[in-house]
Amino acid sequence: MSLLTINGLEKTFKHGSTEEKILKGIDLDLSKGDMTALVGASGSGKSTLLTIAAGLQEATGGEIIFDSENLTALDDEQVREIRAKRFGFVFQQAHLVPFLTVQEQLELMLDTAELKWSKEERRQEIEDILEKVEMQHHRDSYPDSLSGGEKQRVAIARAVIHQPEILFADEPTASLDSKRSKEVMRLLTSLTKESSITVLMVTHDESALEYADYTVQMKDGLIEYPG
Amino acid sequence: MKMAWQEIMKSKTRYLILGAIIFLISLLTMIISGLANGLSYDNASLIKELPAGTFYMEEEAEGQYNFSSLDGETMEEVETVSSEVMFLSIQMGEIEDADEKRHSVAFVSTANNDYFPSIETGGLVLDASIMEEGITAGDGVTNGMLDHSLTVDEFVEHQKFSHAPVAFINHDDFQRMYSTDDFQLAFIPGDEAPHMDGYNQFTNDEFLDTLPSYSAEQLSLNMIVVFLFVISGMLFGIFFYMINVQKIATYGILKAVGVKTSKLFKMMWVQMFIITVIALLLSVAISQLVGIVMPEGMPFLLTIDSASMMSLVFLVIGFIGSTASGIQISKVEPMQAINQGGI
């Protein structure tokens, strides 16, 4: 069952009087619970595709249908609400809030998603996710005292704690060594499969592809189909 | 609220510096304002201690009370308009004590008076500040324009005019000194201010503004206070701008995960409120302490009411300054943060 459908997506950037077309009409379907990896050379448009699909940038043309709703027709506040409640994000850098402890990062996400959970449910969910990402002993630590791998584990916990329907991951292992990359990918896969979260992931890391259900190759703003 | 406080606690030095600057500038503003009020009070407590009312001055005097003259006929006319009218004359002069030491005073003579002491002929009631110059009750003092001496009956508090102690004098003695039976001014207390042909009307504050030394002095001091408010507003704006610039990546990522822009503004306002209130409480406390320890010769007056009003103005300025600088928050794009890297 298709959760997110992209039809004829286009994106053009203007640099002064010149225009550069980054996406030239992308069609893509993401099914519920699947992990799709976007691969391709730098400049192929994969990160642009991910950020537009995630509602972080506007498209120049085409449409994005999420759960029967046309994201490209919604206003900024409606898109923000979808991002807060139904999307999750993991970036190349962890991008944790520097003045919040690990536990507070998770609480912030629950507040932002405006979930109607009881205090006990919130506490339990935080406990569970901290245990899954093995960060329960760092609950009161600030980001500046964590290693790169630890930060990324917290970022993954933050991205899934509100049980989003889609997780957008932009090169989640790019800043990690191969050992940490595998750990992070295993964690990402187990957490998303467990809750049937659909994942759209951009990666350059070939080892990350083994966790993906589908791999989509991009070249020059278009999807390159085999054969 | 919680997130705002968490950030203050995590970045103590940054907010301590901001708080220290707000504290210093608000303290400076309050001290200058206290000195301005003190000087103003020292200059004109004779008028400031009167209830609100209306002063009448001869039109031909063109706003200079010492050129005004209300003759007997006019005074009767004014009395028919209001039974509460008081007449008064003020002349700068001097008295000489037994040691032939001269003291500047403002001679004040009144009629129909409910607000100032009544003086018998040959008597004198002086502002208490002159006691510091060695004059005591019962002393005899002279004035070159009088053929008899005057006896100091008693002292009264807070009666100064043009920075000189007021000397309340009987009108007969005043008449002998200045060769005029007329009064310069009529004063009707309260809101009732009937129009009288040939006379200009002034409220208490308007009358004070007709005194050249008073208006020039107050204008300069008030300009300093206004500039301090403007500067503090700019400082608020600049500091919050700098803090916001440093936090653009954080704002961007918070927006990316769906935090409302209004929540980010609320966070900034709460931080501004917490820092400003703490700084202002310290400023008010210290400025009150300054008022207590200030030497007598340095008039200082800052009531809790005026300090509170100034604090309110600072809060409003802080709100405007931080909001203006925070406009950049609404312009932050999540993509900026993602592309910038971060923690």
Side-chain angles (χ1 to χ4, degrees):
Chain A
M1 193 182 103
S2 180
L3 181 65
L4 187 105
T5 305
I6 296 170
N7 294 323
L9 196 71
E10 292 180 359
K11 179 70 180 177
T12 304
F13 286 105
K14 285 184 182 171
H15 309 286
S17 57
T18 59
E19 289 189 348
E20 190 182 5
K21 202 164 191 176
I22 300 294
L23 299 180
K24 299 170 181 169
I26 301 282
D27 298 317
L28 188 66
D29 261 346
L30 301 182
S31 299
K32 187 166 174 59
D34 285 345
M35 180 184 280
T36 305
L38 287 174
V39 294
S42 292
S44 59
K46 53 190 188 305
S47 285
T48 306
L49 171 59
L50 180 127
T51 51
I52 292 175
L56 295 171
Q57 281 197 82
E58 285 183 10
T60 316
E63 58 179 17
I64 300 160
I65 310 295
F66 169 66
D67 197 18
S68 312
E69 233 173 338
N70 185 355
L71 285 190
T72 45
L74 300 180
D75 64 29
D76 288 351
E77 174 54 22
Q78 289 169 317
V79 173
R80 181 207 65 77
E81 202 172 334
I82 288 176
R83 282 207 310 269
K85 296 179 179 176
R86 304 174 73 182
F87 289 178
F89 298 91
V90 179
F91 303 104
Q92 185 173 337
Q93 305 285 336
H95 284 301
L96 301 177
V97 181
F99 51 85
L100 297 182
T101 63
V102 168
Q103 180 164 333
E104 288 163 354
Q105 311 269 351
L106 303 178
E107 286 170 353
L108 171 67
M109 202 57 236
L110 292 179
D111 291 339
T112 304
E114 297 172 18
L115 294 166
K116 307 285 180 214
W117 289 355
S118 67
K119 268 190 173 178
E120 181 51 31
E121 282 172 318
R122 282 167 65 101
R123 194 195 61 76
Q124 191 57 53
E125 191 63 31
I126 290 171
E127 284 302 319
D128 289 349
I129 199 84
L130 284 174
E131 197 180 324
K132 284 173 189 167
V133 299
E134 296 174 12
M135 290 297 289
Q136 60 271 53
H137 302 304
H138 286 289
R139 66 174 68 243
D140 296 322
S141 302
Y142 286 97
D144 55 11
S145 66
L146 302 177
S147 68
E150 287 168 338
K151 284 179 197 169
Q152 203 62 324
R153 276 167 22 216
V154 176
I156 291 169
R158 183 180 65 179
V160 299
I161 190 166
H162 58 300
Q163 297 171 358
E165 289 159 70
I166 303 189
L167 188 143
F168 295 94
D170 190 3
E171 305 204 40
T173 58
S175 59
L176 305 173
D177 60 34
S178 60
K179 188 181 166 210
R180 301 266 180 267
S181 294
K182 278 185 182 161
E183 277 176 20
V184 163
M185 279 312 299
R186 269 200 293 271
L187 187 62
L188 194 64
T189 312
S190 71
L191 288 174
T192 53
K193 289 292 176 197
E194 190 178 284
S195 308
S196 294
I197 298 171
T198 305
V199 180
L200 180 62
M201 171 178 70
V202 166
T203 186
H204 276 116
D205 182 2
E206 292 212 350
S207 67
L209 297 179
E210 65 186 79
Y211 299 91
D213 298 302
Y214 302 99
T215 301
V216 174
Q217 179 79 39
M218 286 191 69
K219 189 179 179 186
D220 297 333
L222 288 167
I223 290 177
E224 200 175 53
Y225 293 97
Chain B
M1 174 79 187
K2 194 179 162 198
M3 201 155 77
W5 182 248
Q6 283 161 334
E7 196 197 354
I8 292 176
M9 287 293 98
K10 186 74 172 70
S11 313
K12 288 191 192 83
T13 312
R14 179 193 290 171
Y15 287 96
L16 200 65
I17 292 170
L18 174 63
I21 286 175
I22 296 167
F23 160 70
L24 289 173
I25 197 131
S26 59
L27 179 64
L28 183 63
T29 310
M30 283 181 195
I31 288 176
I32 298 277
S33 182
L35 289 170
N37 286 338
L39 272 175
S40 154
Y41 195 72
D42 191 62
N43 199 344
S45 50
L46 175 80
I47 306 300
K48 285 179 176 268
E49 286 292 311
L50 281 173
T54 306
F55 284 88
Y56 290 85
M57 201 187 290
E58 204 179 22
E59 208 167 66
E60 288 169 12
E62 294 180 343
Q64 295 190 58
Y65 74 90
N66 44 348
F67 292 161
S68 173
S69 176
L70 312 181
D71 57 25
E73 194 183 327
T74 309
M75 287 168 64
E76 279 175 26
E77 191 186 322
V78 177
E79 277 176 315
T80 59
V81 175
S82 170
S83 57
E84 289 181 74
V85 65
M86 171 180 80
F87 299 100
L88 75 157
S89 286
I90 308 165
Q91 284 288 355
M92 301 309 292
E94 56 184 31
I95 52 174
E96 199 174 293
D97 62 19
D99 299 330
E100 295 183 354
K101 191 176 163 190
R102 290 175 175 186
H103 307 269
S104 291
V105 292
F107 287 109
V108 173
S109 163
T110 60
N112 284 14
N113 161 29
D114 285 333
Y115 308 105
F116 302 125
S118 297
I119 317 294
E120 298 295 323
T121 308
L124 202 61
V125 171
L126 294 168
D127 177 71
S129 64
I130 207 167
M131 291 166 78
E132 284 174 27
E133 296 174 34
I135 293 182
T136 55
D139 283 0
V141 295
T142 55
N143 175 285
M145 291 186 280
L146 267 181
D147 54 6
H148 61 269
S149 69
L150 300 164
T151 307
V152 178
D153 292 336
E154 58 176 333
F155 296 97
V156 286
E157 294 287 342
H158 308 307
Q159 295 295 344
K160 292 183 97 173
F161 187 81
S162 202
H163 297 298
V166 164
F168 291 103
I169 189 169
N170 182 276
H171 192 58
D172 291 339
D173 290 331
F174 189 89
Q175 191 183 342
R176 281 187 203 105
M177 285 164 71
Y178 295 105
S179 311
T180 174
D181 195 24
D182 296 347
F183 280 93
Q184 295 163 340
L185 297 159
F187 174 74
I188 299 177
D191 295 334
E192 189 192 348
H195 174 76
M196 288 190 285
D197 285 337
Y199 294 89
N200 287 331
Q201 298 172 222
F202 303 88
T203 63
N204 296 30
D205 286 340
E206 285 166 352
F207 175 66
L208 288 172
D209 285 336
T210 67
L211 311 176
S213 65
Y214 181 89
S215 52
E217 188 178 270
Q218 287 304 298
L219 194 65
S220 307
L221 289 164
N222 287 338
M223 278 305 281
I224 294 172
V225 172
V226 167
F227 272 112
L228 283 171
F229 273 120
V230 172
I231 290 167
S232 61
M234 288 162 72
L235 273 175
F236 266 109
I238 291 166
F239 259 82
F240 273 95
Y241 177 82
M242 284 162 61
I243 287 175
N244 286 335
V245 164
Q246 289 170 351
K247 292 199 303 193
I248 276 181
T250 306
Y251 286 142
I253 211 68
L254 287 170
K255 280 185 162 189
V257 299
V259 174
K260 289 179 185 172
T261 304
S262 59
K263 185 170 180 169
L264 301 178
F265 265 95
K266 276 180 203 158
M267 179 176 141
M268 184 184 69
W269 287 328
V270 168
Q271 287 171 341
M272 183 280 297
F273 187 79
I274 292 172
I275 301 295
T276 310
V277 165
I278 293 171
L280 288 173
L281 283 174
L282 277 172
S283 292
V284 171
I286 293 177
S287 61
Q288 292 298 310
L289 203 65
V290 166
I292 294 167
V293 300
M294 203 64 107
E296 281 287 318
M298 202 179 273
F300 187 91
L301 180 69
L302 185 68
T303 61
I304 286 288
D305 281 355
S306 9
S308 307
M309 186 53 74
M310 289 173 80
S311 301
L312 195 67
V313 173
F314 267 107
L315 274 173
V316 172
I317 285 174
F319 178 78
I320 295 168
S322 58
T323 305
S325 73
I327 288 170
Q328 62 194 303
I329 293 175
S330 59
K331 292 180 182 167
V332 172
E333 291 293 334
M335 288 307 297
Q336 263 177 282
I338 294 160
N339 295 334
Q340 266 183 22
I343 293 173

